[in-house]
């Protein structure tokens, strides 16, 4: 187990390095650079040259990459090219915001998805099952900005229960923060529930036709007990990986929701950096996102092994 | 979001007195409170409160260094923290700010400016001529400043005394004070370099700077301008989404917003909590530009066919929901007193376009549009295509990426979309775009007669004569150059009803981005 985790961490670090190279190459292929993006229409050849020289952009790309990499290996992600702000200092509060929103949405979505998924499996083909599926599919079929605007219209315009702006700062008290982030969290719940719900239901059902489940029924156990005690642990692995995928999505894929609710997360920071070709910021955001993916996937594998004795003792 | 990238600098050169402004507001296109009712009437100003602004026009990469300002949000916090050298008054005239007064000799190459006395920076330092010289030189020589081109005629800046500086120009310019009103030209102490901790003379000092999220400032309590700066503090929030912005205003989460969405402004006007202020025809100039030296557009008949073949009103009604004014193929705003009223408008005339097109030998037209040029460019291009079709002219419309649009498409493509912001003076407006040698001559139109008129008007001190010269210059552009400027945008601001003192301004929206020092709570 420890060996597995260690090898995962090693592979993860290699992946991060590869990601950083890919991002750097991609930013070099994009048209324009930070000087031409900031100066925009008002650029002249002289101001562009002065800007590039000031930022050291007149050095070869390979040199810039390795200077950056050397900094990162010393724990220094550098400063933004556009405004000279320390990237870690700016990124950290935004990452906390992103994780807070993702965590909140996960708290709402996970019990809902897994609970109703299991319930659907127990009552396969009956009204609860049908209803849960229809509602979840409806929710996922609506684009997230539409869900967001609907929630704003109903819960913050027609009834002023929640704020439409989710702008929070470091000094926002916890209660207020929860209140401000509720609408975006509910919007995200709409988005991710269906996938996890259907995966739970279908994985459980697919183990229902196995011999040991039949044996459990023959012992005279109730359907609910068979599903939760015998089918579910064996169905856990695919469910957990889908959950991990959705959790990762909650962290990295929420830029539209951030925009609708004006939430200061990492997504908008990265989009702004890409627009302005601020390479060190793009790299930092990309690495954070990649790290989230790798961590969640590793956690998913480990949890699946812990939950399922057969995977713990491979033959 | 990239719509207003830079050069929001609007025209001035607008010379008219307050009474003119009030009595002929409609004719001038400065409609104040036209949509919002009588809510913003004057009361006696009073102190107190936190002004909460919700704005588009900024990003997480914004900096405090004025040399990099390019959009509304930085301009706004710039004017909270710093002062400019020259301010543009509500009637469009240059008014002394940190440069109190000035004089020049005939020819307008030698200038003397007096530095205002008794002004202190937030750090406690007293303002003197060295600070002004340093702040000007930030934009001169080897610099990344976007204002470099604007001030390129300055050949020398020197200190004449503790409170006096001299500026020498390589070519005369009667409008120098207007150039110095540019939003990049803000004043910092001599030798200042620590932009993360800005030191200005503005009404508000920086408390917290989170670009892309919010900017907090606090009243210093001893601002030098009388009757200004009423709020205890200002919270500027970045709200890039137009729907979120108007929503925040209606629900009272912010007190003022910029760039209301023309599509929904009608609903907003129905809210009892909100006033809408429309400033007509001082916003961005939306245009398509053809290169006069490209084979398809070398014939002036071809260019005129393009000008008569566009249905301007239809684009304005469809794309801008009526919140724009018809442009007449120059970048001079129809609201400017120097606007050439006597140049016949190029109204949509398919028959005329068709015959001009045949005369030109039916060249192939291909237009490149992008939302990176300005928002609505694609829709405008498609409507243009439809209008030309009625004249039997084929226009191929190609949509290109907004990424790198200004470096890869504009100034290079034979026919493409562009916007031009207003400039402080008619001279700048014309000479940066249409003079033969201009850096940004995006039509490659070169006419020595035009160059001569503009150069002469620059040093002409008789306003009536100047007006005539500018009219002639505009006439030449409209009938010869490769620019199809079909619309000039309106500014749409939204204010909470409790805000007082907000007026439309001939330059920018939100009271020339000085909303924090000009308005107060009832």
């Amino acid at each position: 187990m420890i060996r597995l985790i260690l090898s995962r961490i090693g592979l993860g670090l290699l992946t991060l390095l590869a990601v950083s190279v890919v991002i750097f190459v991609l930013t070099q292929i994009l048209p324009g650079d930070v000087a031409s993006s900031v100066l925009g229409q008002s650029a002249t050849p002289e101001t562009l040259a002065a800007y590039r020289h000031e930022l050291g952009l007149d050095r070869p790309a390979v040199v810039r990459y390795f200077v950056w990499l050397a900094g990162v290996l010393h724990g220094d992600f550098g400063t933004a090219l556009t405004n000279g702000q320390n990237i870690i200092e700016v990124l950290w509060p935004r990452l906390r915001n992103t994780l807070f929103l993702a965590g909140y949405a996960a708290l709402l979505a996970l019990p809902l998805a897994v609970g109703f998924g299991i319930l659907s499996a127990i009552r396969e083909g009956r009204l609860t099952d049908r209803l849960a599926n229809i509602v979840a599919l409806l929710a996922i079929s609506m684009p997230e900005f539409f869900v967001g605007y609907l929630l704003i219209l109903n819960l913050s315009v027609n009834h002023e229960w929640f704020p439409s702006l989710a702008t929070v700062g470091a000094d926002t008290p916890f209660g207020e923060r929860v209140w401000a982030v509720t609408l975006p969290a509910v919007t995200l719940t709409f988005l991710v529930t269906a996938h996890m719900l259907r995966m739970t239901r279908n994985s459980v059902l697919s183990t229902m036709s196995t011999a040991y489940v039949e044996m459990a029924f023959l012992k005279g156990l109730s359907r609910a007990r068979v599903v939760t005690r015998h089918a579910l642990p064996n169905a856990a692995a695919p469910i957990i990986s889908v959950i991990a995928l959705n959790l990762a999505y909650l962290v990295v894929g929420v830029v539209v929701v951030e925009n609708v609710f004006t939430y200061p997360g990492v997504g908008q920071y990265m989009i702004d950096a890409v627009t302005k070709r601020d390479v060190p910021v793009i790299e930092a955001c990309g690495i954070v996102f990649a790290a989230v993916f790798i961590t969640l996937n590793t956690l998913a594998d480990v949890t699946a092994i812990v939950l399922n004795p057969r995977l713990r003792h491979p033959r | 979001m990239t719509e207003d990238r830079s050069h929001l600098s609007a025209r001035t050169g607008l010379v008219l007195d307050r009474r003119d402004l009030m009595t002929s507001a409609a004719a001038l296109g400065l409609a104040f409170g036209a949509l919002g009712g009588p809510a913003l009437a004057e009361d006696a100003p009073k102190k107190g409160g936190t002004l909460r602004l919700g704005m588009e026009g900024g990003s997480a990469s914004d900096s405090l260094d004025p040399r990099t300002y390019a959009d509304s949000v930085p301009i706004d916090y710039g004017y909270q923290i710093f002062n400019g050298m020259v301010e543009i008054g509500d009637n469009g005239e240059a008014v002394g700010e940190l440069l109190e007064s000035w004089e020049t000799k005939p020819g307008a190459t030698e200038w003397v400016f007096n530095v205002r006395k008794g002004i202190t920076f937030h750090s406690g330092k007293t303002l003197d001529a060295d600070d002004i010289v340093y702040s000007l030189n930030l934009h001169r020589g080897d610099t990344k400043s976007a204002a470099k081109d604007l001030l390129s005629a300055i050949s020398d800046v020197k200190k004449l005394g503790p409170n006096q500086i001299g500026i020498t120009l390589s070519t005369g310019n009667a409008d120098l004070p207007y150039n110095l009103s540019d939003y990049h030209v803000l004043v910092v102490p001599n030798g200042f370099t620590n932009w993360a901790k800005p030191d200005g003379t503005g009404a508000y000092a920086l408390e917290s700077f989170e670009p892309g999220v919010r900017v907090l400032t606090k009243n210093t309590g001893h601002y030098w301008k009388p009757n200004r700066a009423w709020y205890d503090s200002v919270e500027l929030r970045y709200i890039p989404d137009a729907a979120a912005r108007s929503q925040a205003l209606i629900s009272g989460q912010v007190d003022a917003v910029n760039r209301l969405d023309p599509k929904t402004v009608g609903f907003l006007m129905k809210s009892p909590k909100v006033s809408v202020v429309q400033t007509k025809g001082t916003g961005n100039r939306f245009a398509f530009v053809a290169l006069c030296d490209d084979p398809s557009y070398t014939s002036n008949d071809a260019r005129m066919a393009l000008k008569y073949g566009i249905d301007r009103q239809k684009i304005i009604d469809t794309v801008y929901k009526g919140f724009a004014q018809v442009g007449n193929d120059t970048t001079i705003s129809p609201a400017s007193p120097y606007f050439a009223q006597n140049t016949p408008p190029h109204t949509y005339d398919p028959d005329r376009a068709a015959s001009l097109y045949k005369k030109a030998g039916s060249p192939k037209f291909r237009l490149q549009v992008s939302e990176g040029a300005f928002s609505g460019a694609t829709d405008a291009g498609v409507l243009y295509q439809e209008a030309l079709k009625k004249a039997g002219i084929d226009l191929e419309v190609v949509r290109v990426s907004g990424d790198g649009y200004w470096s890869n498409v504009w100034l290079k493509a034979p026919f493409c979309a562009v916007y031009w912001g207003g400039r402080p003076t008619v001279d700048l407006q014309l000479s940066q775009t249409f003079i033969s040698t201009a850096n940004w001559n995006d039509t490659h139109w070169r006419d020595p007669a035009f160059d001569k008129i503009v150069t002469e008007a620059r040093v002409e001190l008789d306003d009536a004569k100047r007006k005539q010269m500018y009219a002639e210059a505009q006439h030449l552009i409209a009938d010869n150059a490769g620019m199809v400027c079909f619309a000039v945008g309106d500014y749409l601001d939204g204010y909470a009803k409790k805000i007082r003192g907000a007026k439309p301004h001939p330059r920018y929206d939100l009271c020339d981005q000085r909303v924090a020092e000009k308005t107060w709570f009832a």
Side-chain angles (χ1 to χ4, degrees):
Chain A
M1 176 80 98
I2 305 252
R3 257 182 67 191
L4 174 98
I5 294 173
L6 282 180
S7 75
R8 277 309 183 89
I9 291 175
L11 280 175
L13 290 176
L14 275 180
T15 313
L16 288 185
L17 187 70
V19 165
S20 80
V21 174
V22 171
I23 293 177
F24 191 83
V25 171
L26 288 179
T27 54
Q28 299 308 306
I29 295 172
L30 284 175
D33 66 357
V34 64
S36 65
S37 310
V38 169
L39 292 173
Q41 197 189 359
S42 64
T44 62
E46 301 96 71
T47 50
L48 283 176
Y51 207 147
R52 284 180 187 137
H53 182 71
E54 182 185 311
L55 296 172
L57 292 178
D58 42 4
R59 293 172 301 172
V62 181
V63 175
R64 279 182 281 134
Y65 177 75
F66 281 103
V67 168
W68 172 84
L69 189 64
V72 170
L73 293 179
H74 290 91
D76 176 14
F77 276 82
T79 55
L81 296 179
T82 44
N83 56 14
Q85 288 196 312
N86 184 306
I87 292 173
I88 294 288
E89 280 171 21
V90 177
L91 188 59
W92 176 235
R94 281 179 177 266
L95 181 62
R96 269 199 326 231
N97 287 343
T98 293
L99 294 178
F100 182 82
L101 174 59
Y104 191 174
L107 272 182
L108 297 178
L110 271 184
L112 210 64
V114 176
F116 275 96
I118 294 171
L119 200 66
S120 289
I122 294 173
R123 321 191 62 126
E124 186 199 0
R126 293 165 59 185
L127 187 66
T128 328
D129 180 27
R130 299 255 167 98
L131 215 61
N133 267 296
I134 289 171
V135 172
L137 279 179
L138 268 180
I140 204 178
S141 307
M142 288 187 285
E144 57 223 86
F145 62 86
F146 182 64
V147 173
Y149 286 142
L150 276 185
L151 289 175
I152 288 179
L153 181 65
N154 287 306
L155 300 182
S156 80
V157 181
N158 294 345
H159 307 279
E160 295 187 1
W161 293 342
F162 293 99
S164 61
L165 282 188
T167 318
V168 291
D171 50 349
T172 314
F174 183 77
E176 205 176 297
R177 187 178 284 255
V178 169
W179 183 59
V181 180
T182 298
L183 290 189
V186 171
T187 309
L188 289 175
T189 306
F190 270 73
L191 264 167
V192 296
T193 303
H195 193 192
M196 294 189 287
L197 186 149
R198 289 171 69 82
M199 193 46 139
T200 307
R201 174 184 179 274
N202 294 347
S203 306
V204 171
L205 285 181
S206 71
T207 55
M208 294 296 277
S209 52
T210 54
Y212 58 85
V213 168
E214 214 163 315
M215 177 65 205
F217 275 121
L218 291 175
K219 275 200 298 186
L221 298 179
S222 72
R223 186 171 169 90
R225 190 165 167 80
V226 172
V227 166
T228 49
R229 294 288 300 166
H230 298 266
L232 190 59
N234 284 295
I239 299 174
I240 288 168
S241 47
V242 165
I243 289 175
L245 202 68
N246 278 287
L247 289 184
Y249 177 79
L250 284 177
V251 176
V252 306
V254 299
V255 67
V256 173
V257 173
E258 280 180 17
N259 203 27
V260 167
F261 292 97
T262 323
Y263 189 69
V266 182
Q268 192 58 48
Y269 186 48
M270 184 162 182
I271 298 281
D272 284 349
V274 172
T275 314
K276 293 278 160 61
R277 309 282 183 269
D278 200 331
V279 179
V281 178
I282 304 173
E283 286 276 13
C285 295
I287 282 178
V288 164
F289 284 160
V292 167
F293 256 101
I294 293 166
T295 313
L296 284 172
N297 272 314
T298 310
L299 274 180
D301 288 356
V302 172
T303 321
I305 293 170
V306 170
L307 284 183
N308 192 330
R310 280 197 304 175
L311 293 175
R312 241 178 300 164
H313 307 285
R315 264 169 288 178
Chain B
M1 216 161 37
T2 50
E3 177 193 349
D4 269 1
R5 212 173 274 239
S6 73
H7 299 328
L8 300 129
S9 358
R11 143 225 105 214
T12 44
L14 178 67
V15 184
L16 49 127
D17 66 31
R18 166 92 29 124
R19 202 168 42 165
D20 280 347
L21 188 73
M22 291 306 176
T23 52
S24 58
L28 283 163
L30 287 175
F32 160 58
L35 306 174
L40 306 184
E42 298 280 334
D43 314 352
K46 67 175 202 245
K47 281 199 182 301
T50 296
L51 174 69
R52 296 162 306 164
L53 297 169
M55 291 182 66
E56 185 186 346
S59 78
S61 43
D62 286 345
S63 137
L64 288 160
D65 181 345
R67 286 172 292 186
T68 65
Y69 292 0
D71 214 335
S72 298
V73 170
I75 298 171
D76 197 279
Y77 62 65
Y79 278 137
Q80 292 178 38
I81 299 164
F82 305 100
N83 281 125
M85 302 201 178
V86 174
E87 183 173 345
I88 299 298
D90 287 345
N91 56 6
E93 274 182 9
V95 181
E97 197 169 1
L98 291 183
L99 295 176
E100 194 176 17
S101 57
W102 49 82
E103 52 195 72
T104 183
K105 294 180 189 129
T109 53
E110 296 287 334
W111 289 78
V112 173
F113 288 88
N114 296 308
V115 180
R116 197 176 288 275
K117 288 175 191 155
I119 309 290
T120 50
F121 287 95
H122 300 155
S123 61
K125 185 193 179 303
T126 306
L127 175 78
D128 61 27
D130 290 321
D131 304 326
I132 300 285
V133 171
Y134 176 78
S135 302
L136 259 182
N137 284 341
L138 288 175
H139 311 282
R140 300 181 58 231
D142 189 19
T143 176
K144 65 180 178 184
S145 173
K148 178 179 171 149
D149 201 68
L150 178 80
L151 302 178
S152 58
I154 297 181
S155 58
D156 190 31
V157 179
K158 59 180 177 291
K159 179 181 172 182
L160 300 177
N163 286 86
Q164 202 173 55
I165 64 158
I167 295 180
T168 310
L169 302 179
S170 52
T171 54
N173 185 353
D175 288 330
L176 179 63
Y178 289 93
N179 291 21
L180 296 179
S181 74
D182 183 79
Y183 61 82
H184 299 98
V185 187
L186 302 177
V187 178
V188 293
N190 186 15
F192 183 82
T193 50
N194 186 8
W195 295 107
K197 298 213 160 33
D199 187 15
T201 56
Y204 301 89
L206 185 69
E207 285 278 298
S208 135
F209 182 64
E210 297 170 62
V213 185
R214 61 180 177 173
V215 180
L216 305 179
T217 59
K218 207 173 162 200
N219 200 320
T220 57
H222 45 81
Y223 192 42
W224 58 273
K225 286 187 201 172
N227 291 318
R228 295 276 184 103
W230 302 102
Y231 301 106
D232 295 331
S233 51
V234 182
E235 177 181 7
L236 193 171
R237 291 197 202 182
Y238 288 71
I239 311 182
D241 185 76
R245 215 158 48 242
S246 42
Q247 183 40 51
L249 181 66
I250 294 176
S251 58
Q253 295 173 80
V254 295
D255 306 311
V257 302
N258 66 347
R259 300 192 201 168
L260 292 173
D261 184 350
K263 293 186 190 76
T264 55
V265 81
F267 297 105
L268 211 63
M269 277 149 40
K270 290 184 192 143
S271 164
K273 300 171 190 165
V274 171
S275 313
V276 176
V277 170
Q278 176 188 17
T279 315
K280 284 187 183 172
T282 59
N284 288 326
R285 287 77 162 139
F286 304 110
F288 300 118
V289 283
L291 298 182
C292 299
D293 51 7
D294 183 89
S296 289
Y297 311 102
T298 37
S299 149
N300 194 36
D301 291 324
R303 304 196 295 257
M304 292 312 285
L306 287 173
K307 290 174 186 177
Y308 282 111
I310 186 166
D311 191 344
R312 296 155 203 256
Q313 195 58 48
K314 182 157 192 185
I315 295 179
I316 288 172
D317 291 343
T318 315
V319 181
Y320 303 102
K321 302 290 163 196
F323 292 104
Q325 311 305 311
V326 171
N328 202 28
D329 301 329
T330 80
T331 50
I332 303 301
S333 153
S336 164
Y338 292 106
F339 179 71
Q341 305 285 357
N342 55 354
T343 302
H346 296 141
T347 35
Y348 181 47
D349 186 344
D351 296 336
R352 194 157 176 189
S355 70
L356 284 164
Y357 182 64
K358 282 202 192 80
K359 221 170 116 194
S362 306
K364 190 174 154 29
F365 292 155
R366 185 172 184 271
L367 173 67
Q368 298 196 28
V369 293
S370 168
E371 291 304 295
F374 55 86
S375 147
T378 316
D379 291 343
V382 171
L383 288 169
Y384 195 6
Q385 185 179 44
E386 287 302 310
L388 281 173
K389 203 173 274 172
K390 283 192 196 138
I393 302 172
D394 255 343
L395 174 71
E396 190 193 347
V397 178
V398 187
R399 187 177 175 172
V400 297
S401 161
D403 264 348
Y405 183 84
W406 300 115
S407 33
N408 301 327
V409 181
W410 181 60
L411 293 175
K412 296 193 171 79
F415 194 29
C416 69
V418 68
Y419 81 89
W420 279 100
R423 292 290 187 278
T425 61
V426 176
D427 174 49
L428 278 171
Q429 194 90 56
L430 297 179
S431 57
Q432 288 192 332
T433 322
F434 295 107
I435 289 273
S436 304
T437 53
N439 268 329
W440 298 309
N441 183 341
D442 56 8
T443 60
H444 292 189
W445 178 64
R446 296 183 178 94
D447 183 348
F450 170 83
D451 295 354
K452 188 162 170 281
I453 294 176
V454 172
T455 320
E456 283 172 6
R458 193 177 291 158
V459 289
E460 178 56 60
L461 299 172
D462 178 344
D463 201 54
K465 253 190 210 162
R466 205 173 191 202
K467 204 165 173 173
Q468 215 175 356
M469 294 163 102
Y470 281 141
E472 176 61 24
Q474 287 170 68
H475 200 84
L476 283 173
I477 298 170
D479 285 350
N480 296 286
M483 176 179 283
V484 185
C485 177
F486 55 90
V488 183
D490 295 348
Y491 281 127
L492 291 168
D493 300 341
Y495 293 97
K497 288 273 194 211
K498 63 178 174 180
I499 292 225
R500 297 286 184 274
K503 293 191 189 110
H505 192 279
R507 195 166 69 158
Y508 301 139
D509 47 353
L510 290 182
C511 308
D512 199 29
Q513 296 302 349
R514 292 180 194 255
V515 62
E517 70 170 53
K518 286 185 171 178
T519 63
W520 63 92
F521 286 132

